[in-house]
Amino acid sequence: MLGAISHQGLQTLRKTCLGYNLEAMLRNLDGILQDECQINKGRPVLIAVSGGPDSLCIADFMYLKGYPIVIAHFDHQLRQDSAADAAFVRNFAYERGIQFKLGEGDVKTRIKQTSESIEEAARNARYLYLFDAAEEIGAQAIVVGHTANDQVETFLMHLLRGSGLDGLGGMPYRWLPNAWHNAIPLVRPLLGVWREEITEYCRERDLRAVVDSTNQDSAYFRNRIRLELVPYLETFNPAARKLIWQTAQVLLGDSDLITGMVEDAWMKCLLATGEDYIAINAPIAKELPLGMQRQIIRKAIDQLRPGLRDVTFEAVNHAVDQLQSSKPYAEVDLISGLKLISEPGKLWVAGWETELPIGDWPQVLQDRALLETGGEVTLGSGWQISANKIAEGDLPPLSLDMQDDNQVWLDLERIDQPLVVRPRKDGDRFKPFGMEGHSQKLSDFMINQKIPRRARNRWPLVCSGDTIVWVPGYRPAHSFELTQTTKEAVALTLRRIDEHNL
Amino acid sequence: MLGAISHQGLQTLRKTCLGYNLEAMLRNLDGILQDECQINKGRPVLIAVSGGPDSLCIADFMYLKGYPIVIAHFDHQLRQDSAADAAFVRNFAYERGIQFKLGEGDVKTRIKQTSESIEEAARNARYLYLFDAAEEIGAQAIVVGHTANDQVETFLMHLLRGSGLDGLGGMPYRWLPNAWHNAIPLVRPLLGVWREEITEYCRERDLRAVVDSTNQDSAYFRNRIRLELVPYLETFNPAARKLIWQTAQVLLGDSDLITGMVEDAWMKCLLATGEDYIAINAPIAKELPLGMQRQIIRKAIDQLRPGLRDVTFEAVNHAVDQLQSSKPYAEVDLISGLKLISEPGKLWVAGWETELPIGDWPQVLQDRALLETGGEVTLGSGWQISANKIAEGDLPPLSLDMQDDNQVWLDLERIDQPLVVRPRKDGDRFKPFGMEGHSQKLSDFMINQKIPRRARNRWPLVCSGDTIVWVPGYRPAHSFELTQTTKEAVALTLRRIDEHNL
């Protein structure tokens, strides 16, 4: 299809569809610098100049307009000719009397030390340098040369790699990259300018840019997007580029809107947050629209794994399913060393190895504590178990519902005193009151009763000798209950003494 | 690139990347029908069956599962062999004892009568029939056979034609298309099913679908997307199709979120709405985030021109610029016969020919009314001008600020009685009190004073003979003012008698 249009014809078509025009572009650009990028002439501006046409164009333009610019070049030292590029940019600055700063980075060592790809490592090393340099000179902003083409290519890359609104929303003109610096913004005045306009500008101004040989290498994904996909899409609609650019702009605006909403919903859903964990209020989160549930999960992941890319649709949807699920207890993997843990009223997002707070549950602190009749045992989180002797005349009526989970009565004659409070151990079995047949494994009882996994190991067990007579908070054991012949009883009570001792 | 992978290899790759699997698909599909589409077995379901594999697959599946289905086929009569397709579908239904309904439409005549494209006309004629048929049988829903491939293709079509979040957000499983019917939803159970799975299903079930010869015709934009673009994108990332499908899902959720927000913002911004016009509260709208301003403009356009496609980025941005502009009066074209009119505190979106409500302004109803001293003249919108004689002892002090725009005092000796109230006419001039030099054109005065254009023609003018002595609501004329020698004055008052008479 592309073959059917001459190169000249395509250029004309593009010019028509993109509506580009050097003069109009130059008229706009100063306005963009002031209004969108919020740059003034009062304080230094650091311009990152690679030596390519984009950065050269904006450096030259801002120089002509009298902005107090400082040029910074970062030599990634990845190519043989990289020092020549640095010299070229130095010379460009020198000829114009512009202050020049050079950064050098051993990107190769960085790749070995981190798990970053070559592009990521280069980018991170460069920005690390640029923000240092910007701070040093008291810059109001760092200017980078991203163009309208970059905007379109980034959109397509994100689309083909899978991305929601966050990724498809275009780069903004002005952006405070908190991960790098919380006061120096990164600004992109050329975001609305097409590469054709920059080429024309460079020709008019007789600027000879360095040629980055890797730009033509189709082995790089971005280069294939630029060299192959974008021209191919233009055979479907000559205005494709412009339409995609506009789409990215619109989605950026929509993404900003949603960010504000997410913030509100997040504050309502957040129950707790700590070292590598977040607890989400499941009943509230479940009632949010589906799109917002996805956003909440994304935000939780982002808080625990900042900057994690490739948060997949599957992972997020999986988490939403878990949130929606009626299972009160479940634990599944999420993404990037994170897991999801459902508990009644909560969805935890947490690192695999994270110790979640035990929270409100009673936990036995000692390995073995004696519970004297008339005495008590102190548990964790402000809980306490007490044992009180009840004389015959004060016995509760037998018809009394024994299922009050925090207070039970046992026949004193049937138990060995003193009672023992201890955590579980292998082989523990339990036969709850009211259950027919054999006893069951204590672990099965705990699963059935939905005692949270991480609270099971230190859940207090009240024992007569080695026999469990009560799992506090649940029902007592069979065959220790009061009967017609009971003379004396012991009342066991689980209660919270200090609710604030959490 | 595509050539480097064998057909078999590509199929395997797709199977891996899309994760498709007939058995899993069938397991899911019934759940989708119940949960996502909210279909039950209690009431009839109308299935639109073209005779192609997609609609045949869902009809067969729902038949097997025991849903009370009725099959409807719409013969567009655009192809020679269309009657054969209708006969095929009738036979499919007959063999299974399923009720069959046939619709026929003269799409060609529809195209002549409307400005619709062939695809639009076919689609509109088909849905018109389907909703009629669905209502006739008391259907709970209309089932259509859109697949995961359709979802992806639609996304790409919208992207290449320019579209914001609305267009890129995927089709939903269940949708109440208010433009067609406010109670019968359109449901798409196959939205998560790939065409490969449908082909497999048809093979397993020995369903022989009719072949729509136009599906292979690259002259249709959608066919080129399907036959050329999608396979090409898969050479960039074999999972491209799935990722785009997921993106459409995510954007649909986000779009729903924004729709809710827009509704809230809209209620705050809407000042008035009427026959082909909407008034937006500009001061409120201006403070909204940019993305929301765009949404408000889109909503206004959608309300005035429902179903209008191709609401361009430029048109919307243009309107946002106008909203942001500090010009209190401006009138520009918008899109599709709509214009934008800025007035203080308002942005009107209105049809070119629309008479906007005059609203709160005083307007003279007669071409000439006498204003006797001691009398009054009734204006439109509940306004009134009165004239009262003030005796020498009651004259206001000369230092009194004469600029109370709703009450002025004139020297009775200098005016001809009775005063006349009339609308403007060609050649009117006016010299406001306090202005040096020559008089100015009344039209210039009105522009300077920002009297709204459409209120100017009938703005009341109080005249002495033919000389304008007061523009009510503004200042009086020079040389009629009170002086040291004034003996008697006339007080002219503009007031609103009945604020509810709007």
Side-chain angles (χ1 to χ4, degrees), chain B residues 15-150:
Chain B
K15 196 155 183 168
T16 316
C17 292
L18 300 176
Y20 67 73
N21 169 331
L22 187 60
E23 276 164 50
M25 171 277 230
L26 293 176
R27 259 198 314 278
N28 283 337
L29 193 51
D30 206 30
I32 296 278
L33 276 167
Q34 292 170 42
D35 301 342
E36 307 286 349
C37 302
Q38 296 168 40
I39 297 297
N40 59 58
K41 292 184 178 167
R43 279 168 56 211
V45 182
L46 191 77
I47 308 190
V49 177
S50 67
D54 308 340
S55 54
L56 227 49
C57 163
I58 189 63
D60 184 70
F61 181 85
M62 291 182 74
Y63 163 73
L64 289 181
K65 289 284 176 187
Y67 286 91
I69 60 172
V70 174
I71 286 180
H73 177 85
F74 185 75
D75 183 351
H76 301 88
Q77 301 182 326
L78 287 169
R79 282 180 290 113
Q80 292 278 327
D81 50 356
S82 71
D85 292 358
F88 170 85
V89 177
R90 180 197 299 273
N91 194 47
F92 174 88
Y94 180 78
E95 283 175 356
R96 288 159 180 81
I98 302 167
Q99 189 188 337
F100 173 78
K101 294 180 79 70
L102 177 66
E104 288 170 323
D106 187 357
V107 178
K108 283 177 185 158
T109 306
R110 188 181 171 101
I111 295 169
K112 279 180 204 141
Q113 287 165 351
T114 64
S115 59
E116 295 168 346
S117 71
I118 187 164
E119 286 99 337
E120 280 172 339
R123 185 173 168 279
N124 288 338
R126 185 169 67 247
Y127 280 117
L128 207 59
Y129 166 71
L130 288 173
F131 280 96
D132 275 355
E135 192 166 84
E136 202 183 301
I137 63 164
Q140 57 176 310
I142 296 175
V143 171
V144 289
H146 293 125
T147 64
N149 300 63
D150 291 316

Side-chain angles (χ1 to χ4, degrees), chain A residues 37-88:
Chain A
C37 303
Q38 295 168 41
I39 297 295
N40 58 58
K41 293 184 178 166
R43 280 169 54 213
V45 183
L46 191 76
I47 309 190
V49 177
S50 66
D54 307 341
S55 54
L56 227 48
C57 163
I58 189 63
D60 184 70
F61 180 84
M62 290 183 73
Y63 163 73
L64 289 181
K65 290 284 174 185
Y67 286 91
I69 61 173
V70 175
I71 286 181
H73 177 85
F74 185 75
D75 183 351
H76 300 89
Q77 301 182 325
L78 287 170
R79 282 181 289 114
Q80 293 278 327
D81 49 356
S82 71
D85 291 359
F88 170 85

Side-chain angles (χ1 to χ4, degrees), chain A residues 305-325:
Chain A
R305 298 286 178 272
L308 178 68
R309 292 172 179 213
D310 301 324
V311 176
T312 62
F313 177 81
E314 279 89 357
V316 173
N317 254 28
H318 190 57
V320 168
D321 286 348
Q322 173 96 355
L323 181 62
Q324 287 296 337
S325 150

Side-chain angles (χ1 to χ4, degrees), chain A residues 160 163 237 246 261 295 314, chain B residues 160 237 246 254 261 314:
Chain A
L160 290 174
S163 171
N237 183 345
Q246 291 172 348
M261 282 179 86
Q295 295 281 353
E314 279 89 357
Chain B
L160 290 173
N237 182 346
Q246 292 172 347
D254 289 343
M261 283 177 84
E314 279 89 356

